[in-house]
Amino acid sequence: MISRERLYLSTVANGASELARRFGIGLELAEFCTASNMDGDFAVTDARVREGMRGVSRFVFHMPFNELYPAAIDPKARALAMGRLVQATRLAGDYGIFKLVAHSGYVPLVYHKSWHAERSAEFWRELLASIPAEMMLCVENVMEDEPYMPVAVAKAVGDPRLRLCLDLGHANVCAKGIPAPVWVEEFAPYLAHVHLHNNDGGADRHAG
């Protein structure tokens, strides 16, 4: 049985904060998955986030990911990704959160795997150099069709603060024929966080 001290409920779920308080589990803040929530009406979002955090003792911060590609071919696109993620790490620090989850940004048919792995390792090393030493960054599989490339990226980065987040729902959709135990076994040396949600293999439904 998994201890409740190791469980986090994503704030994507309605009533997540209330459930976390009731059952003594943590929260994974998802409000800033969309980077623009750090701008504009930030004060409104910030107040809502802080109210949701009240009475909860453990947190993970999910970083922005919309249109952010660490292995981007266009240098300006890469710079956008870096700027947004640095901005997010500072915000996480303001909330006192030091465990971060970031999407890998891999897009099939756009990036060759070797390109993505090499460029991603460079990107994550640069990002890690700019954030507090106590922060841990967990890179999440999204569109990867096998577990080997994320592991290769983590190995190439070679920094204990760079870990992996295994998203089993994403793996079920994107990695046809590679069962979950294989992902777990490959990720194990770098595994620091897991996303559990369900689907039938046809679409990323994020079902219960």
Side-chain angles (χ1 to χ4, degrees):
M1 180 179 293
I2 299 175
S3 167
R4 71 181 62 190
E5 284 74 27
R6 300 179 68 182
L7 293 175
Y8 296 82
L9 183 62
S10 173
T11 56
V12 167
N14 292 328
S17 296
E18 180 183 347
L19 288 169
R21 286 189 284 267
R22 183 189 308 173
F23 294 107
I25 59 179
L27 284 175
E28 181 169 327
L29 302 185
E31 284 80 2
F32 301 101
C33 288
T34 299
S36 59
N37 286 338
M38 298 187 293
D39 309 325
D41 293 331
F42 169 74
V44 174
T45 305
D46 178 58
R48 186 173 69 249
V49 168
R50 291 183 185 277
E51 174 60 25
M53 293 173 69
R54 184 177 52 81
V56 180
S57 60
R58 297 180 306 283
F59 303 94
V60 173
F61 188 100
H62 200 304
M63 305 271 269
F65 60 82
N66 295 314
E67 293 86 49
L68 301 179
Y69 303 107
I73 298 166
D74 186 335
K76 290 186 177 181
R78 184 185 186 279
L80 172 64
M82 182 63 70
R84 282 304 204 182
L85 294 188
V86 168
Q87 182 183 6
T89 63
R90 291 172 180 165
L91 179 57
D94 289 344
Y95 289 135
I97 303 174
F98 298 96
K99 187 174 186 180
L100 317 172
V101 173
H103 282 192
S104 68
Y106 174 66
V107 183
L109 306 181
V110 173
Y111 304 123
H112 292 294
K113 289 183 179 181
S114 58
W115 166 275
H116 181 267
E118 182 178 346
R119 290 280 288 179
S120 294
E122 293 173 1
F123 182 94
W124 299 124
R125 280 195 294 266
E126 183 178 336
L127 178 62
L128 287 167
S130 71
I131 67 176
E134 61 269 30
M135 281 188 166
M136 174 191 292
L137 181 64
C138 304
V139 178
E140 173 188 347
N141 62 292
V142 183
M143 293 185 177
E144 284 84 352
D145 60 1
E146 40 85 352
Y148 312 110
M149 184 172 60
V151 172
V153 171
K155 189 178 295 185
V157 171
D159 188 318
R161 296 179 297 154
L162 193 288
R163 303 283 92 183
L164 294 177
C165 168
L166 173 55
D167 191 299
L168 288 167
H170 293 162
N172 195 48
V173 169
C174 298
K176 307 301 183 185
I178 302 181
V182 174
W183 284 81
V184 173
E185 181 178 1
E186 293 297 326
F187 271 39
Y190 302 97
L191 187 61
H193 198 57
V194 176
H195 283 168
L196 294 171
H197 53 97
N198 197 25
N199 60 67
D200 61 5
D204 183 22
R205 300 187 185 280
H206 282 76

